Each structure stands twice: as structure tokens, then as C-alpha cells.
Amino acid sequence: MQLYVYYRVATENVDTALIAFRKARVEAPIELLQRPEPDADGHWTWMEIYPEGWGHREPQVAGAMAQWLASERKVERFEMLG
């Protein structure tokens, strides 16, 4: 099962939020994606992708990111079909 987590980060917090993510991720193969442009409020949508077997790291990353969020974290789980 893969875990997908998305949320928004205000433009003024992007640099510090990215540093916080990298420190919390450490060596885990968690990807971080960003939409190509901010929304109307100037917030960037980010998505963390946790490969199978790494979902246990989500609470650690969530704690590190909490102060930088402009929206709640939305967690979705998907499993491979074929």
C-alpha cells in the first residue's frame, strides 16, 4: 500500500518547510511533489508519496511539517491492482 499526503504551504514558508521536510525524511525514499503554480491565495500544494513499507514514517514527517502548513494534511491510501 502506498500513502499519499497533500497539503498547502504559504509562499513565505516554502524554504523553511522544505528544510523541515528534508530533515524529517532523513534517508527514507519519500518523494515530495509540488503543483506547478500556487493557488489564488498564494499557497503551494505539496504532495508526499510514501512507497510501500514506509507509511510508518508519516507521523514523524507530519510533526515536523505542522507549523508550516496553510491547510490540513489529507492522507490517502492506495494499493496496487496489477
Side-chain angles (χ1 to χ4, degrees):
M1 184 171 311
Q2 291 184 319
L3 193 65
Y4 295 81
V5 181
Y6 59 98
Y7 49 88
R8 289 188 176 84
V9 176
T11 299
E12 63 270 15
N13 294 330
V14 166
D15 292 337
T16 49
L18 184 55
I19 291 167
F21 171 80
R22 288 177 175 159
K23 285 181 178 179
R25 177 183 64 186
V26 190
E27 80 295 337
I30 303 164
E31 294 181 72
L32 182 63
L33 306 177
Q34 173 180 277
R35 286 193 188 230
E37 62 274 328
D39 65 14
D41 296 323
H43 298 152
W44 293 89
T45 302
W46 286 9
M47 178 177 286
E48 299 167 5
I49 302 175
Y50 294 76
E52 189 166 339
W54 288 93
H56 66 282
R57 295 292 294 274
E58 192 275 330
Q60 177 182 345
V61 175
M65 298 299 293
Q67 66 181 326
W68 309 116
L69 302 186
S71 71
E72 66 179 280
R73 289 172 64 88
K74 296 184 181 169
V75 179
E76 308 256 347
R77 290 172 172 74
F78 289 83
E79 54 188 28
M80 193 66 67
L81 287 177

